[in-house]
């Protein structure tokens, strides 16, 4: 008897097919920058029909999706329930060189400050408190980041850019543009706010700092949130309401803010955290059985996964990870 599935993601794309059970192989850390082969039995979907971006034959086409969400059916949850791994993992997306680091287990170096995950939410929801542009805090409604259905803040490495509610997006973009007089602002492809600028963007525009519960902050530099397109610089911050009317109050933070940071997902303690890091270097991970600590290095994907042809890196690390799924 076959067991069918249908999965619809937040961007409207979908996959349908049948559940299968097989053995997944992964590299277990056995020494500094050394591994041995390990495996575990997992149930996953064998996609027969894909739609939207998942079904495209162009640049958006994927070989598959590695689900590392909070649900019991995700790969990380299945491996953890069998005692193979701890229910925690980390990634470091190298926005400068491409590639980066991905590891399952307890990261002991670098040290990472964390913020609690919002309970009873299916995604990696966090409580965001404030937004600062340069030295100025945006004057925002007190309930703008309140958690709930179709609102709140989600951390998602399966999303490339970052999406903000209109009441956050408009003053944020206005503040960024106002840093330079006489900018010729244009809309490219009907959705990207772009302008021409010949100087250093890090010198000419302000960093954006996001503040979260537990005094955790996340600084996004101009070279992170601005990407070059032809003769323009385009702003990677997007308006949530322009993407989907039912998600207009949702804050979705993707690779635009997560790149060049070690991001730690700790489902054992229901926290998530990050720190700025050189993703071309290595991290230290603890072996849960022996207690020993070993180096885990970075990897680079040399094929089509991928940079914009302008050089701004959008990384799909090892396998594209969609860390949330909306049914």
């Amino acid at each position: 008897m076959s067991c069918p599935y249908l999965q619809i993601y937040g961007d409207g794309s979908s996959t349908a097919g049948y559940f299968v059970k097989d053995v997944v192989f992964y590299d277990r850390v056995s020494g500094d920058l050394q591994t041995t082969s390990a495996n575990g039995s997992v149930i996953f979907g064998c996609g027969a029909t894909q739609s939207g971006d998942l079904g495209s034959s162009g640049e958006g086409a994927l070989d598959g999706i590695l689900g590392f969400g909070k649900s019991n059916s995700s790969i990380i949850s299945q491996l953890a329930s069998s005692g193979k791994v701890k229910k925690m993992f980390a990634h470091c997306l190298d926005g400068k060189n491409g590639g980066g680091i991905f590891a399952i287990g307890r990261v002991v170096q670098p040290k990472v400050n964390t913020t609690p995950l919002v309970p009873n939410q299916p995604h990696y929801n966090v409580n965001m408190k404030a937004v600062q542009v340069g030295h100025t805090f945006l004057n925002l409604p007190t309930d703008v980041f309140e958690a709930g259905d179709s609102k709140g803040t989600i951390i998602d490495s399966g999303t490339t850019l970052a999406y903000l509610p209109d009441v956050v997006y408009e003053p944020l973009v206005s503040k960024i543009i106002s840093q330079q007089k006489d900018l010729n602002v244009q809309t490219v492809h009907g959705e990207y706010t772009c302008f021409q600028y010949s100087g250093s963007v890090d010198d000419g525009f302000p960093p954006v700092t996001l503040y979260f519960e537990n005094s955790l902050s996340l600084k996004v530099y101009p070279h992170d949130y601005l990407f070059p397109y032809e003769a323009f610089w385009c702003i990677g911050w997007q308006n949530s309401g322009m993407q989907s009317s039912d998600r207009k109050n949702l804050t979705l933070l993707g690779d635009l803010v997560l790149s060049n940071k070690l991001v730690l997902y700790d489902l054992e303690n229901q926290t998530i955290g990050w720190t700025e890091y050189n993703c071309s270097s290595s991290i230290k991970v603890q072996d849960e059985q022996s207690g020993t600590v070993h180096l885990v290095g970075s990897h680079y994907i040399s094929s089509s996964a991928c940079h914009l042809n302008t050089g701004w890196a959008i990384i799909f690390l090892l396998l594209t990870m969609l860390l949330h799924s909306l049914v």
Side-chain angles (χ1 to χ4, degrees), residues 46-313:
C46 181
T49 303
Q50 277 65 240
S51 70
D53 286 343
L54 297 182
S56 86
S57 57
E59 291 183 0
L62 306 176
D63 292 319
I65 296 170
L66 183 62
F68 267 60
K70 293 167 64 178
S71 73
N72 291 333
S73 60
S74 71
I75 296 290
I76 183 70
S77 296
Q78 290 188 63
L79 290 175
S81 66
S82 64
K84 298 283 186 180
V85 300
K86 282 290 185 181
K87 204 171 181 179
M88 52 182 67
F89 62 96
H91 62 66
C92 196
L93 307 175
D94 192 329
K96 300 180 180 71
N97 306 308
I101 305 168
F102 178 66
I104 299 172
R106 190 183 306 276
V107 176
V108 297
Q109 189 178 331
K111 298 294 184 183
V112 176
N113 293 325
T114 61
T115 187
L117 291 170
V118 178
N120 304 315
Q121 293 291 325
H123 320 304
Y124 289 107
N125 288 70
V126 292
N127 286 314
M128 194 154 85
K129 298 294 188 180
V131 178
Q132 183 182 12
V133 183
H135 299 292
T136 305
F137 282 88
L138 297 184
N139 186 15
L140 302 172
T142 55
D143 63 346
V144 65
F145 299 123
E146 190 176 275
D149 293 336
S150 298
K151 61 181 182 177
T153 303
I154 295 174
I155 305 293
D156 177 35
S157 76
T159 294
T160 300
L161 302 177
Y163 298 84
L164 304 169
D166 186 70
V167 293
V168 182
Y169 171 82
E170 290 293 343
L172 173 69
V173 171
S174 176
K175 193 75 176 174
I176 291 171
I177 292 174
S178 69
Q179 299 298 307
Q180 297 293 331
K181 294 182 179 179
D182 303 323
L183 279 183
N184 182 17
V185 179
Q186 301 182 31
T187 301
V188 175
H189 291 312
E191 57 180 332
Y192 299 116
T193 300
C194 305
F195 52 82
Q196 290 184 319
Y197 184 73
S198 59
S200 165
V201 293
D202 283 326
D203 293 336
F205 297 91
V208 175
T209 307
L210 311 177
Y211 291 89
F212 301 84
E213 183 181 352
N214 213 19
S215 301
L216 181 64
S217 63
L218 194 160
K219 181 174 282 190
V220 188
Y221 297 93
H223 66 259
D224 292 322
Y225 68 72
L226 294 174
F227 63 91
Y229 179 79
E230 294 182 351
F232 298 97
W233 285 100
C234 297
I235 298 176
W237 304 105
Q238 299 291 291
N239 190 327
S240 298
M242 298 296 289
Q243 302 297 315
S244 170
S245 59
D246 62 339
R247 306 181 76 191
K248 64 182 181 180
N249 297 317
L250 184 67
T251 299
L252 188 60
L253 303 178
D255 297 336
L256 175 131
V257 305
L258 300 179
S259 61
N260 305 313
K261 297 169 183 69
L262 190 284
V263 184
L264 174 64
Y265 303 74
D266 185 350
L267 292 174
E268 304 262 336
N269 298 298
Q270 290 295 296
T271 62
I272 187 171
W274 48 77
T275 186
E276 292 185 17
Y277 202 63
N278 176 6
C279 298
S280 293
S281 61
S282 58
I283 61 175
K284 291 184 178 180
V285 178
Q286 184 177 44
D287 184 285
E288 294 296 334
Q289 295 179 351
S290 66
T292 56
V293 175
H294 300 299
L295 287 173
V296 174
S298 62
H299 292 80
Y300 180 74
I301 300 174
S302 60
S303 60
S304 60
C306 67
H307 299 260
L308 290 180
N309 58 10
T310 56
W312 187 68

